[in-house]
Amino acid sequence: MLRPIKDIFPSEEYPDLLAGINQPDDAAVWKLDEQRGLVITTDFFTPIVDDPFDYGLIAAANSLSDVYAMGGTPFLALNIAAFPPQLPVEIVSEILRGGAEKAREADVVIAGGHTIQDKEPKYGLVALGFVPLDHILTKSSMQPGDVLFMSKPIGSGVISSAIKAEKIQPEDTEETIEWMKRLNRDAASLAVKHGARAATDITGFSLLGHAWEMAEASGTGLRFNFDAIPLYPHTARLAGEWCFPGGTFNNAEFFGPHIVFPGKITKEAQMILFDAQTSGGLLFAVPPEKAELCEKAAQKESIPLWRVGEATESRIIEII
């Protein structure tokens, strides 16, 4: 899809574009001066929860996450939305209020936006941020031996599918929804402070899909400890019922050839690692000599963090 754009905008003609269509990164970065870069990204999606205010909160947190994944700090955003004309104005207002409240929490101002009519609601943000040039996190900077950390559990695709299929009670979804509303701000700050070399946020391509993007771009492999990977409540049970969104199966087909699973991990457990996420956490790589300090800082500052693996020289992803 991006090949025609690359032909029109060859990278050598735009030296100030530090991250863009030639790299598989989460946002574009444009060099402003010798110290700062401008981070630009956009994201939006259809509702995955029933409450419109929660939907707005989750969509905004998800949109801002790409700025954090680059090591940046968001400061400005625009709404991007599509709503059916028959959708009650009260619901539209709650969606937009949710987005505004989450942006305010992130010290981001929403300065306007654009809305069109469509058959299915869609909402998200265009987000801008600043990043110090010496602290840009990219997918291509990982080195063998780096320690991998995650900042949120996975399984939101399973849970959202269960909500749509009415296979889960509302009270059993509350913890997952709270996680999806959580900003990745603190995790990004923790990563940068402890010398993270590479990062991404875990969204639609799943944990293993985004991990493979990092490994391929960095020319490394990865080794994950399956038992160390955190799951949302009820994910394992619902996975046993094959309650997955369509994107999960696409991820398994596309990224599966790069993954090596041990025989003891069931097929449904494997699929959880391919589960398409919404507003997922960060996956970042820290030099091994700083990993313990990173863990201690997270514990001291009450920042959720899981040590889940390490980078290798294997050029594949191994699950152990």
Side-chain angles (χ1 to χ4, degrees), residues 45 48-49 54-63 177 180-181 278-279:
F45 52 79
I48 61 166
V49 294
D54 282 345
Y55 169 42
L57 290 166
I58 294 169
N62 180 75
S63 298
I177 291 173
M180 288 193 289
K181 292 189 291 188
T278 298
S279 192

Side-chain angles (χ1 to χ4, degrees), residues 20-313:
I21 58 176
N22 287 322
Q23 302 87 11
D25 284 307
D26 295 291
V29 179
W30 185 271
K31 181 180 178 182
L32 291 177
D33 51 41
E34 297 307 311
Q35 287 78 41
R36 296 183 306 164
L38 180 67
V39 186
I40 312 102
T41 184
T42 185
D43 205 339
F44 60 96
F45 52 79
T46 57
I48 61 166
V49 294
D50 294 329
D51 184 87
F53 182 65
D54 282 345
Y55 169 42
L57 290 166
I58 294 169
N62 180 75
S63 298
L64 297 172
S65 182
D66 284 337
V67 179
Y68 295 126
M70 301 298 294
T73 301
F75 70 95
L76 183 68
L78 299 173
N79 282 327
I80 180 167
F83 298 121
Q86 68 273 21
L87 192 68
V89 66
E90 295 82 6
I91 292 178
V92 173
S93 296
E94 282 296 279
I95 294 171
L96 297 179
R97 185 173 72 88
E101 291 287 352
K102 185 55 60 174
R104 187 177 179 88
E105 179 187 338
D107 295 323
V108 170
V109 59
I110 294 180
H114 186 66
T115 303
I116 64 170
Q117 292 185 0
D118 201 353
K119 294 180 180 180
E120 189 171 16
K122 301 173 182 68
Y123 176 66
L125 300 176
V126 176
L128 286 79
F130 293 121
V131 62
L133 296 186
D134 56 353
H135 287 159
I136 298 175
L137 301 177
T138 66
K139 293 179 181 177
S140 60
S141 301
M142 194 163 50
Q143 298 181 20
D146 283 355
V147 176
L148 298 175
F149 289 102
M150 287 173 56
S151 66
K152 290 183 185 181
I154 60 172
S156 61
V158 171
I159 301 302
S160 61
S161 294
I163 292 172
K164 294 176 182 178
E166 298 182 347
K167 291 185 175 183
I168 190 169
Q169 297 299 315
E171 59 270 20
D172 292 332
T173 68
E174 291 175 0
E175 183 175 340
T176 300
I177 291 173
E178 287 302 311
W179 276 107
M180 288 193 289
K181 292 189 291 188
R182 187 185 184 99
L183 293 170
N184 280 322
R185 174 176 54 190
D186 293 341
S189 176
L190 186 74
V192 170
K193 287 179 182 177
H194 292 87
R197 295 175 171 136
T200 188
D201 62 339
I202 303 166
T203 51
F205 286 161
S206 76
L207 168 61
L208 292 183
H210 289 290
W212 174 248
E213 287 182 328
M214 292 177 69
E216 185 178 38
S218 299
T220 68
L222 296 174
R223 182 182 298 116
F224 282 102
N225 181 348
F226 180 82
D227 292 333
I229 297 172
L231 305 181
Y232 288 126
H234 308 285
T235 295
R237 172 180 64 83
L238 291 164
E241 301 176 20
W242 284 89
C243 191
F244 294 105
T248 296
F249 298 100
N250 294 336
N251 290 335
E253 180 179 2
F254 188 79
F255 297 109
H258 307 292
I259 318 298
V260 176
F261 289 100
K264 67 177 183 179
I265 297 181
T266 64
K267 187 64 176 179
E268 57 265 29
Q270 294 178 27
M271 291 297 290
I272 293 172
L273 304 188
F274 290 114
D275 189 41
Q277 302 300 286
T278 298
S279 192
L282 296 187
L283 173 67
F284 62 89
V286 168
E289 67 273 14
K290 296 185 178 181
E292 186 175 350
L293 290 175
C294 185
E295 289 179 296
K296 289 181 177 178
Q299 185 175 15
K300 182 179 179 180
E301 299 172 34
S302 299
I303 300 173
L305 193 69
W306 289 267
R307 183 171 181 162
V308 294
E310 60 275 332
T312 69
E313 296 180 353

